[in-house]
Amino acid sequence: APSFFQTVAWQAGVAMAGRRRRAVQLAALAALLEPCDAVSKREIKVPGWPDLSSKVPLSAGIVTNDLVMASGMSGINFTTFKPVPGGVKAETKQALELMKQLVEAGGSNMSEVVGCSVYLKDIKDFATVNQEYATFFPKPRPARVAMEVSALAGDLSVEVQCRASLAAESRKEVVVPGWPDMTDKFPFSTGLTAGNFAFISGMQGIDMATGKLVEGGPKEETAKTLFNIREAVEAAGSSIDRIVNCAVYLTNISDFAAMNAAYRQFFPRGRPARVTMQVAGLAGVASVEIQCLASLPSAAQQEVVVPGWPAEWQADLSSGIIADRLLFAAGLQGVDLKTGKLVPGGAEEETAQALTLLSQLLAAGQTSMAEVVECAVYLRDMKDFAAMNAAYAKAFPKPAPARVAVQVAALANGAAVEVKCVAA
């Protein structure tokens, strides 16, 4: 696996030029934020649900900036705290029933859900999950990404995390001219716009004219994937320079360099915040899938540069992007800034360091850990869940962010944990 510093190319012009650039960007950031009112953050309490905040460091959901940020939902019976019987179909139904209750308690509904991530323990369950999933969402259905992960908490078969707009917000399907209509075959839209954002589904290197994966391997697949994303973002009324964050899912972390070579060419400047991982499987035979979020021209947008952080960290990705008063942080690992290596001690120490870095990033963006509304935690081993939680719980005051936590196949640098968050 590539080292942390190998995951980003060396950026030229650090020293004085870098300091001048940071000063200009920080001044622009201050100007961006100064006229904005504080974004409210409200924890969602679902009637009849048990209060688990003393046992797990997360909220069921958070409402902020006209969005409902829901935690990952799985097929748990809240009376017995055991998986519902009946396998993946029953678990999917229960997870989405819980999601429905949650988004409604947050003031929205399933017809206003704009994006979901579906984590499967076995990609062979994809069709079964899709059958149940389709019954919960009227058209136009949310943007979506789905993948096989190595493990889920509680040894469950499926977990679903969603975002929904509030009922009063506009919501429009993204239709790309010339692309085939696949919405009857698959239960998701290419993308949706709501408020000031375009939520784009996970994309692979598919030639939309033939419906086949491009040949050549990860680099060529990445290039085609990003071409497809650009077409979707532009059809949404946005552009590539307004892409806020991306999640890159690889079937082999050794393909990182090939993916990054194509990725770097696609984003010549103003690169999005990003997280990259190896998952256990993707739908079809693709080696890479990428999901992105873009802001619309109506939203103010600004990169966050953290004083004192190595300039090379910004070469292939931004540490964070502020768009429409939300800060989207890149995935962070427990790296020591002085050595560029992971801190010793294992998952708990790495989590603590990753969240220390997150705190620094948020401070540079003029927000704080108390304003974090959503996180995704990627573990190399689900056995580290308790150790991760021990450090995680100390970092966030209540109400803690909405959260999903899954075990992936591998992380860059051989890290035990990587954390990606959004803050108001």
Side-chain angles (χ1 to χ4, degrees):
S3 70
F4 185 85
F5 285 106
Q6 287 171 331
T7 64
V8 289
W10 191 265
Q11 178 175 328
V14 288
M16 185 63 70
R19 287 193 290 272
R20 286 197 298 267
R21 177 176 59 83
R22 287 193 290 272
V24 170
Q25 288 177 314
L26 287 170
L29 177 62
L32 173 74
L33 294 177
E34 186 176 0
C36 295
D37 296 329
V39 180
S40 63
K41 171 187 173 183
R42 174 172 65 85
E43 182 182 9
I44 300 172
K45 296 287 190 180
V46 184
W49 283 24
D51 183 0
L52 300 176
S53 59
S54 62
K55 296 182 178 180
V56 286
L58 57 88
S59 299
I62 297 289
V63 175
T64 187
N65 208 33
D66 292 330
L67 287 171
V68 174
M69 307 289 205
S71 282
M73 294 289 123
S74 54
I76 292 290
N77 182 317
F78 275 160
T79 301
T80 65
F81 292 100
K82 294 181 180 180
V84 294
V88 67
K89 181 178 175 65
E91 287 185 36
T92 303
K93 181 178 180 179
Q94 175 68 359
L96 292 170
E97 288 283 5
L98 295 176
M99 185 63 68
K100 180 175 182 291
Q101 295 173 28
L102 175 57
V103 297
E104 288 177 355
S108 189
N109 57 71
M110 295 297 269
S111 66
E112 298 294 333
V113 175
V114 291
C116 292
S117 298
V118 178
Y119 303 96
L120 297 163
K121 191 170 68 175
D122 192 335
I123 200 68
K124 293 177 182 177
D125 292 328
F126 187 74
T128 303
V129 169
N130 272 349
Q131 290 173 1
E132 196 63 44
Y133 185 96
T135 66
F136 277 84
F137 296 106
K139 290 185 176 183
R141 297 187 176 105
R144 195 186 75 175
V145 67
M147 74 212 72
E148 178 184 337
V149 294
S150 299
L152 296 169
D155 197 32
L156 287 147
S157 301
V158 61
E159 187 162 347
V160 184
Q161 184 186 36
C162 297
R163 295 170 176 169
S165 66
L166 296 183
E169 283 293 300
S170 62
R171 181 177 178 272
K172 183 179 178 182
E173 183 178 7
V174 176
V175 177
V176 184
W179 282 22
D181 184 357
M182 303 295 288
T183 56
D184 288 331
K185 186 174 181 180
F186 298 108
F188 56 85
S189 301
T190 296
L192 291 175
T193 58
N196 286 316
F197 292 104
F199 302 84
I200 306 300
S201 284
M203 296 282 170
Q204 297 180 359
I206 302 292
D207 183 327
M208 293 301 180
T210 65
K212 296 181 179 180
L213 190 70
V214 297
E215 298 179 351
K219 183 176 181 181
E220 290 74 11
E221 286 183 41
T222 301
K224 185 60 176 175
T225 297
L226 292 170
F227 178 85
N228 291 340
I229 289 171
R230 178 171 62 192
E231 288 205 316
V233 166
E234 289 177 352
S238 188
S239 58
I240 63 167
D241 60 341
R242 297 196 67 85
I243 294 179
V244 173
N245 70 355
C246 292
V248 179
Y249 306 102
L250 301 170
T251 56
N252 193 330
I253 200 70
S254 65
D255 292 333
F256 186 94
M259 174 279 297
N260 215 32
Y263 189 96
R264 188 183 300 123
Q265 292 175 353
F266 187 80
F267 293 107
R269 66 184 189 281
R271 295 181 174 121
R274 190 181 77 183
V275 65
T276 304
M277 71 205 73
Q278 178 183 328
V279 295
L282 296 170
V285 296
S287 60
V288 59
E289 185 162 344
I290 304 176
Q291 185 185 37
C292 296
L293 171 75
S295 67
L296 299 179
S298 52
Q301 183 167 316
Q302 174 68 41
E303 180 183 5
V304 181
V305 177
V306 186
W309 280 23
E312 62 269 21
W313 286 17
Q314 302 283 337
D316 290 339
L317 53 90
S318 298
S319 297
I321 299 284
I322 293 175
D324 196 29
R325 302 180 299 168
L326 293 177
L327 191 157
F328 297 85
L332 295 171
Q333 298 179 357
V335 175
D336 185 321
L337 292 181
K338 295 180 180 178
T339 66
K341 297 180 180 179
L342 293 168
V343 296
E348 184 170 352
E349 290 76 8
E350 287 185 36
T351 302
Q353 176 64 6
L355 294 175
T356 296
L357 295 177
L358 176 63
S359 179
Q360 294 172 15
L361 172 60
L362 298 177
Q366 299 189 9
T367 185
S368 68
M369 298 293 276
E371 300 304 321
V372 176
V373 294
E374 178 191 78
C375 290
V377 179
Y378 307 104
L379 295 166
R380 191 178 61 195
D381 192 331
M382 191 54 78
K383 293 178 181 177
D384 291 330
F385 187 79
M388 175 276 296
N389 263 351
Y392 189 97
K394 295 175 184 177
F396 292 106
K398 291 184 179 180
R403 193 186 76 178
V404 67
V406 301
Q407 177 184 328
V408 297
L411 295 167
N413 198 36
V417 62
E418 187 159 347
V419 184
K420 180 190 66 146
C421 297
V422 179

